Amino acid sequence: MINLEESTPFEDTINSELAIYYKRLFPFEDYYRWMSYRNQSIFQRREFAFTIIKNKKEIYIRHQSFDNAKKLEVEVRNLKPTKIHIGAMYNVRPTKPCYNNYFPTERELIFDIDINDYDDIRTCCTGDQICPKCWKFMALACKILDNGLRIDFGYNHILWVFSGRRGIHCWVCDQRARILSPSERQTVGKYFQIINGGKYTYKKVKLDNRTQYLISSALDMIRPIFVPFIVKEQDILGTNERLAKFLNVIYDAEDREALRSQMETLETSSQRWNTFVCYIENLLDKTKKEHHKYTYLIDEIMLQYTYPRMDIKVTETMNHLLKGPFCVHPKTGKISVPFSISTVDEFSTDNVPTIEILTEEMTKIDLEEGESVENINAERKNYKTSLDPALTVFREFISNLEYDK
């Protein structure tokens, strides 16, 4: 299967830098430890796919499989892919599929969250752009999802990875998660999916009196930060245009216009939010039957502006391929790095190393030792680079996974 796209801005230098990176830094042995789950047969039946740059085009190569870490390394160093995609484990090796009897048998439970899915609520950036303010959406999504996976489902082995550009990937690697059927994955996905509706759906969250623990625990995280983060920093009510968009969640035209007339006279998002909350709470205090539709409105709005927005199709299917950790994003040059959920608030996308920075760091080390990093036939050495924190997170994750066997 080949997919040709426009060349990337890194085309002139990317192949030489990738050659160095794959020779000196890429953690092939750690990949094998992770994806074999201490069973070589599992690794051999794992599908890999590669994106390579050739003749100013991107070429996508699927249905690859390897005996061990060394065979994977040889092929990766030969192809120098800009992306390494990881697929499911199949009943037979993907290199020679029998399409009449070829099916996935295991797959990590995966969640994919992209920052551009927050474009209708964030005010700091749009599209693929991500800044420290944007990252707060992602950090909160990680904490809510991680908590639900651990508490509600009892999963322990969860790997969080920054994609290198605009998203985060969550790999749930417990054996119970890996052997879930497509219908069971769909059930898990629906459990976490509370944001519903497309671009023209104004109210995307609807709660009732059967609200599960997932939502109550999420709200415990959201309530203390909603005003400083969403109301003040994102300034969601700071203009009359944003106010009008916000008030579309009120279906009753009389209430909507009453709120608009009160809130438009105020100057700040904080003042407008406080007025909105007081108005809704006063209606609920009247205990009139017609106001029952506002019972959960404030919580629903908080969730709509902060709850994780996931590509649920990635979660539900077993044969979806996802870019693996430590790939180089061809648009930014940044490495796709694992990070710890315990320090997610401190994670900065600005500090994620690029392949250019890593090449410079390796070159400096080699020059100090009188060697040349361009000598890709030289023995691999244990470089100390800005990739080390991510490698440490990855190796600790694998050790815990192996220890729990």
Side-chain angles (χ1 to χ4, degrees):
M1 175 175 158
I2 296 178
N3 177 31
L4 300 182
E5 299 177 357
E6 293 182 2
S7 59
T8 73
F10 299 97
E11 182 183 331
D12 292 338
T13 59
I14 192 71
N15 282 337
S16 60
E17 290 176 337
L18 284 171
I20 297 169
Y21 174 67
Y22 286 131
K23 168 59 184 175
R24 300 301 180 91
L25 283 182
F26 192 87
F28 292 103
E29 288 294 337
D30 297 313
Y31 249 58
Y32 178 79
R33 288 174 60 200
W34 169 34
M35 285 186 288
S36 67
Y37 296 101
R38 302 175 74 176
N39 184 334
Q40 187 178 23
S41 174
I42 289 178
F43 186 82
Q44 292 172 340
R45 290 181 285 110
R46 168 84 70 169
E47 181 184 8
F48 288 87
F50 303 118
T51 300
I52 65 173
I53 297 177
K54 189 173 182 179
N55 298 326
K56 299 183 179 181
K57 298 291 183 180
E58 284 191 346
I59 301 175
Y60 187 47
I61 306 170
R62 279 197 66 175
H63 305 302
Q64 307 299 298
S65 68
F66 303 94
D67 289 333
N68 49 45
K70 188 60 181 178
K71 293 289 182 66
L72 173 64
E73 179 177 358
V74 169
E75 187 68 0
V76 168
R77 288 180 60 189
N78 176 52
L79 292 175
K80 296 180 282 293
T82 54
K83 298 177 187 175
I84 299 174
H85 310 263
I86 301 173
M89 292 80 85
Y90 286 83
N91 59 317
V92 296
R93 294 191 67 155
T95 45
K96 296 180 179 180
C98 176
Y99 291 103
N100 291 328
N101 189 27
Y102 176 60
F103 54 87
T105 58
E106 289 187 37
R107 179 63 162 133
E108 292 82 4
L109 182 64
I110 295 172
F111 296 86
D112 183 12
I113 305 174
D114 287 338
I115 192 61
N116 54 308
D117 289 331
Y118 291 76
D119 278 357
D120 64 323
I121 55 176
R122 61 175 176 158
T123 61
C124 50
C125 301
T126 58
D128 295 333
Q129 296 174 313
I130 188 168
C131 71
K133 292 180 180 179
C134 295
W135 182 255
K136 293 182 180 181
F137 286 108
M138 308 300 266
L140 184 58
C142 288
K143 289 186 282 189
I144 291 172
L145 189 54
D146 192 88
N147 181 71
L149 288 166
R150 294 181 190 277
I151 302 300
D152 295 2
F153 290 91
Y155 296 134
N156 295 310
H157 303 292
I158 303 171
L159 180 67
W160 288 99
V161 182
F162 170 59
S163 71
R165 189 183 192 187
R166 66 184 182 193
I168 52 177
H169 301 152
C170 172
W171 301 74
V172 185
C173 300
D174 300 66
Q175 185 181 24
R176 290 189 300 109
R178 301 198 312 266
I179 62 175
L180 290 175
S181 68
S183 62
E184 290 169 332
R185 291 167 193 266
Q186 188 176 41
T187 299
V188 174
K190 287 182 177 179
Y191 177 76
F192 284 103
Q193 184 81 342
I194 71 167
I195 304 287
N196 295 295
K199 181 179 179 181
Y200 300 105
T201 302
Y202 298 124
K203 191 167 181 290
K204 293 182 169 66
V205 178
K206 295 180 181 180
L207 302 181
D208 57 36
N209 58 6
R210 295 168 293 149
T211 299
Q212 66 262 43
Y213 170 79
L214 169 72
I215 294 175
S216 63
S217 60
L219 285 167
D220 286 342
M221 299 182 200
I222 293 167
R223 289 188 184 112
I225 66 170
F226 186 81
V227 170
F229 171 32
I230 299 297
V231 177
K232 293 182 178 180
E233 189 171 86
Q234 287 294 326
D235 198 24
I236 60 167
L237 303 174
T239 67
N240 287 341
E241 181 181 4
R242 292 177 191 169
L243 173 61
K245 180 180 177 181
F246 173 85
L247 289 176
N248 281 328
V249 300
I250 304 292
Y251 293 136
D252 185 274
E254 184 178 342
D255 288 331
R256 186 168 60 249
E257 290 308 311
L259 275 164
R260 190 193 311 277
S261 64
Q262 291 183 38
M263 296 169 74
E264 280 184 345
T265 63
L266 303 173
E267 296 181 355
T268 69
S269 277
S270 295
Q271 292 172 330
R272 290 177 169 184
W273 172 254
N274 290 337
T275 298
F276 172 80
V277 171
C278 288
Y279 185 94
I280 299 300
E281 289 179 344
N282 286 336
L283 285 180
L284 293 175
D285 286 343
K286 295 177 181 179
T287 64
K288 290 183 179 179
K289 184 177 180 180
E290 63 265 27
H291 295 143
H292 74 280
K293 58 183 176 293
Y294 297 141
T295 301
Y296 303 104
L297 181 61
I298 294 173
D299 285 344
E300 289 169 337
I301 288 172
M302 288 186 176
L303 289 165
Q304 181 162 325
Y305 276 83
T306 57
Y307 190 83
R309 300 186 169 207
M310 299 163 285
D311 183 351
I312 209 64
K313 291 182 180 179
V314 175
T315 303
E316 294 176 346
T317 58
M318 293 185 72
N319 58 358
H320 183 90
L321 288 100
L322 190 70
K323 187 175 67 175
F326 299 102
C327 291
V328 181
H329 198 289
K331 302 293 184 182
T332 64
K334 291 182 178 180
I335 310 299
S336 176
V337 292
F339 59 86
S340 172
I341 189 66
S342 63
T343 58
V344 63
D345 289 321
E346 290 74 47
F347 183 87
S348 172
T349 59
D350 293 335
N351 294 333
V352 173
T354 64
I355 190 170
E356 182 180 7
I357 288 173
L358 293 174
T359 302
E360 290 173 356
E361 290 174 348
M362 288 185 287
T363 301
K364 181 179 178 180
I365 293 170
D366 280 345
L367 288 174
E368 290 172 352
E369 297 178 359
E371 300 179 11
S372 172
V373 73
E374 285 79 9
N375 181 11
I376 63 172
N377 294 317
E379 290 297 317
R380 178 189 290 267
K381 66 174 69 174
N382 187 24
Y383 284 102
K384 300 296 182 182
T385 69
S386 51
L387 194 63
D388 280 6
L391 287 168
T392 298
V393 170
F394 190 47
R395 287 164 181 163
E396 288 179 352
F397 165 79
I398 296 170
S399 294
N400 291 334
L401 187 63
E402 290 176 335
Y403 180 78
D404 199 32
K405 280 284 185 179

